[in-house]
Amino acid sequence: MKTWIKAGVIGILGVTLVHAEQTKLYDVESGKVSYEIKGSGNTMGVTTKSLGKKHLLFDAYGSQSLTEENKVEKTVVMGQTQTNKAHTMVYFKEGIMYIVDFDEKNIVRQENPMAMMGGNMAAKGKAMMKQMGGKQIGYDKVLGYRCEVWEVMGTKQCIYKGVPLKVESNMMGIKHTETATKAEFDISVDKEDFKLPDFPISDDMGMAIDRNRLGKMDASTQKEAQQMQMMMGMMAAAAQDAGVQPGQRADAGQEQAMLSSMKNAMFPMMKEEILSEEQSMRFAQECLTDADTLSEANRCNQKLNEMTGEDEPPLSSWNSQMKEESLQEINHYLNVIIPCVKKAQTVNTLEQCMR
């Protein structure tokens, strides 16, 4: 049976960490870039040539971005020519990624693992290139923008504030270039510019998704990404405080110090989150007290979902025993847990309150 406490309390010790550091893919707030794509080569008698266009639009330092690509590739094998056309779009929104295939007329929604890292991704990207043996070899200008030229694993990029304005690669006889033909930065971006086509949406397992549920699903995924970002930040700070060096494995004493540091850092947010559920639980108490039928209980369930942002399914049954058990849980939360949490001054006390 779905308990009414679940809608208000379960997951509280996971805490809504809304103060996580914003993901910054670029070091410029917004922008719009158009690219020309060219490719050619001959490998083991197979000749290829590709032409295309790509458009990048981003806002909020890249935490929201849309990339659309339209490309035609011709392959010649033993005198036979094969032409492949591809029209795709990728939309990033914090912790979510939508992949659009215009040829198949479908959209796949999946989590964006890069968003879980959070922070300044432009700086992290440079650090990653260095780890892969890459290095900055100079500067250049593209469309009047002075960019850093980086070379790594056969690919050369001209990067302006994290945004690639020119990419050149030559691997196994195949040359590929993406060159910006127009670029604007720090522009006003309308949310309608990020609108997806009206295609069916499924998850990465192929299960269909109702568009009416996307708002709640995206909010939930973004919340999880924010929580992960904050946890990673707290872990890094706790490790530093405990004297753990980069790449070093913490010993037992350092692990205990890290755990204590993280708990203390999370305490104010944990307490605030628990207390914020009091209003919805008082509503549940009042509503369920008068709910004698299944339809009345489900009206309470629906209203509670609206208040908490949860997406709990309707109850399949409701009787006097279920009503009594639910009200007992709610009363315990309001009369025991809430007063205890209000008095709590440490994480250990807070945890005892929730037992």
Side-chain angles (χ1 to χ4, degrees), residues 33-68:
V33 185
S34 298
Y35 299 88
E36 181 181 52
I37 300 173
K38 291 183 179 180
S40 62
N42 189 315
T43 303
M44 299 180 66
V46 179
T47 302
T48 61
K49 185 176 182 179
S50 59
L51 291 171
K53 302 288 185 182
K54 186 168 84 171
H55 300 281
L56 167 67
L57 174 71
F58 67 90
D59 197 12
Y61 297 94
S63 63
Q64 185 177 22
S65 70
L66 186 148
T67 304
E68 183 173 2

Side-chain angles (χ1 to χ4, degrees), residues 168-189:
E168 300 174 292
S169 66
N170 189 346
M171 302 181 69
M172 298 180 65
I174 304 297
K175 295 181 179 179
H176 179 86
T177 64
E178 292 184 8
T179 307
T181 56
K182 184 178 180 181
E184 301 174 89
F185 298 106
D186 289 319
I187 59 175
S188 177
V189 179

Side-chain angles (χ1 to χ4, degrees), residues 22-35 55-68 90-93 122 145 160-165 182-191 193-194:
Q22 181 188 26
T23 299
K24 290 180 64 176
L25 188 60
Y26 309 121
D27 288 328
V28 58
E29 185 171 2
S30 60
K32 184 184 297 185
V33 185
S34 298
Y35 299 88
H55 300 281
L56 167 67
L57 174 71
F58 67 90
D59 197 12
Y61 297 94
S63 63
Q64 185 177 22
S65 70
L66 186 148
T67 304
E68 183 173 2
V90 178
Y91 173 44
F92 288 104
K93 184 182 178 184
Y145 295 101
Y160 172 74
K161 296 187 176 181
V163 183
L165 295 183
K182 184 178 180 181
E184 301 174 89
F185 298 106
D186 289 319
I187 59 175
S188 177
V189 179
D190 193 304
K191 65 179 181 179
D193 293 337
F194 294 100

Side-chain angles (χ1 to χ4, degrees), residues 306-325:
E306 293 172 0
M307 294 178 68
T308 62
E310 299 288 338
D311 192 21
E312 295 291 341
L315 296 168
S316 58
S317 61
W318 184 251
N319 54 45
S320 58
Q321 182 179 350
M322 294 171 66
K323 176 178 177 177
E324 181 180 355
E325 291 174 352

Side-chain angles (χ1 to χ4, degrees), residues 42 44 51 62 109 116 125 127 174-175 183 195 200 210 218 222 246 265 267 340:
N42 189 315
M44 299 180 66
L51 291 171
R109 178 191 183 277
M116 300 298 179
I174 304 297
K175 295 181 179 179
K195 189 174 182 180
D210 183 354
D218 288 355
Q222 288 167 10
F267 171 71
C340 181

Side-chain angles (χ1 to χ4, degrees), residues 37-238:
I37 300 173
K38 291 183 179 180
S40 62
N42 189 315
T43 303
M44 299 180 66
V46 179
T47 302
T48 61
K49 185 176 182 179
S50 59
L51 291 171
K53 302 288 185 182
K54 186 168 84 171
H55 300 281
L56 167 67
L57 174 71
F58 67 90
D59 197 12
Y61 297 94
S63 63
Q64 185 177 22
S65 70
L66 186 148
T67 304
E68 183 173 2
E69 184 175 300
N70 213 325
K71 187 169 66 174
V72 178
E73 183 176 88
K74 290 185 179 181
T75 305
V76 181
V77 182
M78 299 180 65
Q80 299 295 316
T81 301
Q82 182 178 353
T83 302
N84 294 314
K85 297 181 179 180
H87 185 189
T88 60
M89 176 186 288
V90 178
Y91 173 44
F92 288 104
K93 184 182 178 184
E94 287 290 348
I96 310 109
M97 178 167 57
Y98 290 90
I99 304 172
V100 182
D101 188 327
F102 285 88
D103 299 316
E104 297 293 333
K105 291 182 168 45
N106 63 32
I107 302 173
V108 176
R109 178 191 183 277
Q110 61 187 48
E111 292 186 5
N112 175 16
M114 294 297 290
M116 300 298 179
M117 297 175 64
N120 191 325
M121 299 302 296
K124 292 178 181 179
K126 290 181 182 180
M128 189 176 297
M129 284 193 289
K130 289 180 180 179
Q131 290 177 354
M132 295 168 63
K135 60 182 179 179
Q136 183 182 345
I137 60 175
Y139 294 90
D140 199 355
K141 275 194 174 183
V142 177
L143 300 175
Y145 295 101
R146 187 172 187 263
C147 48
E148 299 177 354
V149 180
W150 284 77
E151 191 169 36
V152 58
M153 298 181 68
T155 299
K156 188 162 65 173
Q157 302 183 65
C158 197
I159 303 172
Y160 172 74
K161 296 187 176 181
V163 183
L165 295 183
K166 188 173 184 179
V167 179
E168 300 174 292
S169 66
N170 189 346
M171 302 181 69
M172 298 180 65
I174 304 297
K175 295 181 179 179
H176 179 86
T177 64
E178 292 184 8
T179 307
T181 56
K182 184 178 180 181
E184 301 174 89
F185 298 106
D186 289 319
I187 59 175
S188 177
V189 179
D190 193 304
K191 65 179 181 179
E192 288 298 315
D193 293 337
F194 294 100
K195 189 174 182 180
L196 292 170
D198 191 21
F199 296 157
I201 301 177
S202 62
D203 60 22
D204 49 9
M205 299 298 290
M207 300 295 292
I209 298 175
D210 183 354
R211 279 181 175 265
N212 295 324
R213 295 180 55 231
L214 285 179
K216 287 184 177 180
M217 292 177 65
D218 288 355
S220 177
T221 303
Q222 288 167 10
K223 176 180 175 179
E224 291 173 4
Q226 290 173 338
Q227 290 176 342
M228 182 61 69
Q229 290 171 22
M230 180 60 99
M231 289 299 296
M232 291 176 68
M234 286 183 172
M235 287 180 66

Side-chain angles (χ1 to χ4, degrees), residues 2 4 283-284 287-305 313-319 322-323 326:
K2 169 210 176 241
W4 295 89
F283 164 78
C287 189
L288 289 179
T289 297
D290 297 328
D292 295 322
T293 66
L294 178 60
S295 61
E296 289 173 341
N298 274 326
R299 279 197 291 270
C300 296
N301 183 35
Q302 182 178 355
K303 180 64 177 178
L304 198 59
N305 277 341
L315 296 168
S316 58
S317 61
W318 184 251
N319 54 45
M322 294 171 66
K323 176 178 177 177
S326 296

